[in-house]
Amino acid sequence: MNNILFRQIQPSDNLPLAKMIRLVFEEFDAPPIGTVFSDPTTDALFELFQMPGAVLWVAEKNGHPMGCCGVYPTPGLPTHCVELVKFYLSPDIRGNGTGRYLMDQCIASARDFGYKQLYIESLPVFSKAIGMYEKAGFRRLKTSLGQSGHCSCDVWLLLEL
């Protein structure tokens, strides 16, 4: 994690983060429809996270945003539950603990906000990430929670905080 700065999202991060997220989807041949790839909020992440109980953490290297992970109170989630969202890393910063650090920062943020559960939706093509979630204590669910609008996601996990 040398030379990586962790900070909250800034307005100038919108374009580079949206581009990075979509490149990750293309890299893993993940479906573009019914996912964050086609979600219009992906192009306005700074604005999306300007609400109480939400935060997006950014991993920056050499002045460039290279990864992100956040918590967001997705509509329809159970009381005291928040969603772990927009968790993507550029290939340049994978495998060095950056993802785990971002996830741990989001878990801490969720607790600080007073949430009791952390929910995440994913896709089988992101199997390494799913393994990381399970190692952190997330358990698989049989159905989705909330109304994210990401109907192509078919892996759902929940962490008791």
Side-chain angles (χ1 to χ4, degrees), residues 51-110:
M51 68 178 317
V55 64
L56 186 68
W57 291 99
V58 174
E60 177 185 297
K61 186 173 181 180
N62 300 325
H64 302 287
M66 305 287 284
C68 56
C69 185
V71 294
Y72 187 81
T74 301
L77 287 176
T79 304
H80 303 296
C81 183
V82 70
E83 188 173 0
L84 185 75
V85 296
K86 315 297 191 224
F87 191 8
Y88 298 98
L89 298 174
S90 168
D92 302 335
I93 61 167
R94 289 186 204 141
N96 66 1
T98 299
R100 182 61 200 229
Y101 186 89
L102 281 170
M103 183 176 68
D104 288 346
Q105 186 65 46
C106 286
I107 290 170
S109 294

Side-chain angles (χ1 to χ4, degrees), residues 13 55 65 78-79 97 127 133 135 140 143 147 161:
D13 295 328
V55 64
T79 304
S127 59
Y133 306 143
K135 188 175 178 181
R140 288 191 189 227
T143 188
Q147 301 155 358
L161 302 173

Side-chain angles (χ1 to χ4, degrees), residues 13-23 37 42-45:
D13 295 328
N14 278 350
L15 181 60
L17 286 178
K19 183 183 262 188
M20 182 270 303
I21 289 168
R22 290 185 175 108
L23 286 173
F37 187 96
T42 300
D43 294 308
L45 294 175

Side-chain angles (χ1 to χ4, degrees), residues 120-135:
I120 188 167
E121 299 178 334
S122 193
L123 298 158
V125 295
F126 298 129
S127 59
K128 280 191 173 184
I130 293 167
M132 183 176 68
Y133 306 143
E134 291 176 328
K135 188 175 178 181

